[in-house]
Amino acid sequence: MANNPPFLAEILPVIIQALEKDAEEVDRSGEFPKTAFSVLQQHGLLHFVLPTTSGGSGGDLLASQAIIQAVARGEPSAALILIMQYLNTRRLDDTSNWPDAVRRKVAESVIRDGALINALRVEPELGTPARGGLPATRARRTAEGWRISGEKIYSTGSHGLSWFLVWASSDDVDPLVGGYLVPANTPGIHIIDEWDHLGMRGTCSHRVVLDDVLIPLDHAVNVAPWSTPRPGLNEEESVWMAVLLGSLYDAIAHSARDWFIGFLQQRVPANLGAPLASLPRFQELVGRIDTLLFTSQILLSSAAHGHVAGGHAAQIKQVVTENAIRSVQLMVESIGNHALTRHHPLQRHLRNVLCGRIHTPQDDAIFTSVGKSALSAERSTS
């Protein structure tokens, strides 16, 4: 795997500095981080992983990881939206099963306009499709094109997206289920601003309502009959998702660590007459935190360099996320009120890092899958 392009070493510190200026305001307002995406578009990072056959930079996982870590150090909501951009645009190569004209149209909009795309999959009744089930969102075939109606929740990036890849089922006897590409400015789309979360507030993961929305027939870009087997992510896609999501929450923990270190070095209680950093119990605590984060860095680096099999991707995501959460919790527990004061960054980092547990696959599914595999292997060798 290639090393990070040299230009990243120059621009990533600039991006961190630019994005962290607005991080507190994005958290307070819950508004889409427009400034962050203007900066990312200016530096050509919105089409960074778009394949070269579609006019993009064709960036690899190692470089993409560095970008996500930097963006997350600045403003983590923007990093999550960017992860979705990367996971969706990297599939748009000339071997894609998308109609060629549609693929090129989306790719050109990403390059030219910084257009953002994300898959809208979760529904109020269905929950996440990862748990199985037929989506209630319907695509009705007409002479004009597909008419799509339904509701999607947890639609990350909602107000900032140009393209919705809507998980829906057609009205055929054997429904065509999968991704229907919907331009975000199509009449009949309504965004209900109901995302009022404790953490990752700037993701604007609002409810999107589609009311008889018309799209061309060739915008059924990634669908298959419900009766056919539905493959999940391949191993490469699983590793990409695990590394990028893990890197996001690991970066939040590192931001919290930096604030915590500064606090310990500067805080001088009157009865101590020296910084908290001089106390052995805080020195030990920082050692525990750094060991957790060191473990995560080794896992993420190994996976990004291609040294971890795709079958272990979900475990990496679980371990890194939990290490990040535990690290921040240790900081909060150790200093009490200071950590929970509204204007200090540490409470924001805590709220943001806790969101790492939300992403598919969740812990129960990860551990059940790993356990079943292990027990099955034991039976086959006994």
Side-chain angles (χ1 to χ4, degrees):
M1 184 163 294
N3 292 322
N4 289 344
F7 77 94
L8 287 182
E10 299 176 7
I11 67 171
L12 293 186
V14 176
I15 287 172
I16 295 172
Q17 187 174 22
L19 271 56
E20 65 185 1
K21 292 178 182 178
D22 294 331
E24 186 174 354
E25 175 59 22
V26 169
D27 176 72
R28 186 197 63 77
S29 69
E31 294 182 357
F32 182 82
K34 293 181 180 178
T35 301
F37 284 94
S38 295
V39 172
L40 294 171
Q41 168 69 350
Q42 175 187 343
H43 290 288
L45 296 184
L46 298 185
H47 62 267
F48 183 75
V49 305
L50 184 71
T52 55
T53 54
S54 293
S57 301
D60 65 12
L61 178 55
L62 191 62
S64 300
Q65 179 199 15
I67 293 169
I68 295 301
Q69 286 178 321
V71 175
R73 291 294 295 264
E75 200 293 294
S77 293
L80 182 58
I81 298 168
L82 186 61
I83 288 172
M84 301 304 142
Q85 175 83 345
Y86 283 2
L87 294 177
N88 283 283
T89 57
R90 69 179 298 268
R91 301 186 179 116
L92 299 180
D93 60 16
D94 55 5
T95 65
S96 166
N97 57 0
W98 287 34
D100 190 58
V102 178
R103 174 182 63 84
R104 285 189 280 105
K105 183 177 182 179
V106 172
E108 288 168 4
S109 71
V110 172
I111 296 167
R112 182 185 64 246
D113 306 320
L116 299 177
I117 181 172
N118 194 13
L120 308 190
R121 295 171 59 86
V122 184
E123 294 182 347
E125 299 300 325
L126 176 68
T128 172
R131 302 279 182 171
L134 190 68
T137 302
R138 290 288 180 265
R140 180 168 53 87
R141 194 192 305 266
T142 72
E144 301 170 289
W146 295 106
R147 290 278 183 180
I148 300 181
S149 297
E151 295 187 10
K152 296 295 180 180
I153 57 176
Y154 306 145
S155 304
T156 297
S158 61
H159 284 298
L161 301 178
S162 297
W163 302 98
F164 299 148
L165 189 57
V166 177
W167 182 256
S169 58
S170 74
D171 57 352
D172 298 292
V173 175
D174 187 7
L176 293 174
V177 180
Y180 292 78
L181 184 68
V182 180
N185 60 0
T186 307
I189 294 176
H190 310 282
I191 298 177
I192 301 175
D193 292 359
E194 65 179 20
W195 178 256
D196 189 15
H197 220 248
L198 280 177
M200 303 297 284
R201 291 174 48 75
T203 62
C204 294
S205 301
H206 298 303
R207 181 184 299 250
V208 176
V209 179
L210 301 101
D211 183 11
D212 211 29
V213 172
L214 177 64
I215 62 171
L217 289 173
D218 65 357
H219 277 42
V221 293
N222 188 22
V223 300
W226 181 246
S227 60
T228 61
R230 309 197 64 80
L233 297 177
N234 61 39
E235 289 203 355
E236 183 182 25
E237 290 172 327
S238 296
V239 171
W240 270 75
M241 179 176 289
V243 169
L244 296 187
L245 284 174
S247 296
L248 160 61
Y249 293 100
D250 179 70
I252 294 171
H254 273 89
S255 292
R257 174 200 178 274
D258 289 352
W259 181 88
F260 185 61
I261 292 289
F263 174 82
L264 295 180
Q265 291 172 335
Q266 297 165 18
R267 175 72 171 170
V268 181
N271 63 337
L272 180 62
L276 291 176
S278 65
L279 294 177
R281 75 180 185 93
F282 282 111
Q283 295 164 359
E284 179 191 11
L285 179 63
V286 171
R288 290 180 181 273
I289 291 166
D290 275 13
T291 299
L292 288 169
L293 298 181
F294 170 75
T295 303
S296 295
Q297 288 287 299
I298 293 298
L299 282 173
L300 290 170
S301 178
S302 295
H305 280 87
H307 298 155
V308 177
H312 294 295
Q315 291 166 281
I316 291 174
K317 175 257 185 188
Q318 195 281 330
V319 171
V320 171
T321 299
E322 287 303 312
N323 283 355
I325 292 170
R326 184 57 184 148
S327 296
V328 182
Q329 287 177 330
L330 285 170
M331 301 176 212
V332 171
E333 292 167 7
S334 71
I335 59 175
N337 278 336
H338 290 287
L340 298 176
T341 302
R342 188 65 179 88
H343 67 274
H344 280 299
L346 194 54
Q347 54 77 31
R348 170 164 48 90
H349 297 319
L350 175 63
R351 290 185 287 105
N352 285 334
V353 80
L354 285 171
C355 294
R357 290 177 174 151
I358 293 169
H359 302 288
T360 300
Q362 284 85 31
D363 285 6
D364 66 315
I366 295 170
F367 291 138
T368 298
S369 176
V370 173
K372 286 173 67 175
S373 296
L375 292 168
S376 176
E378 286 296 320
R379 283 200 305 271
S380 64
T381 58
S382 60

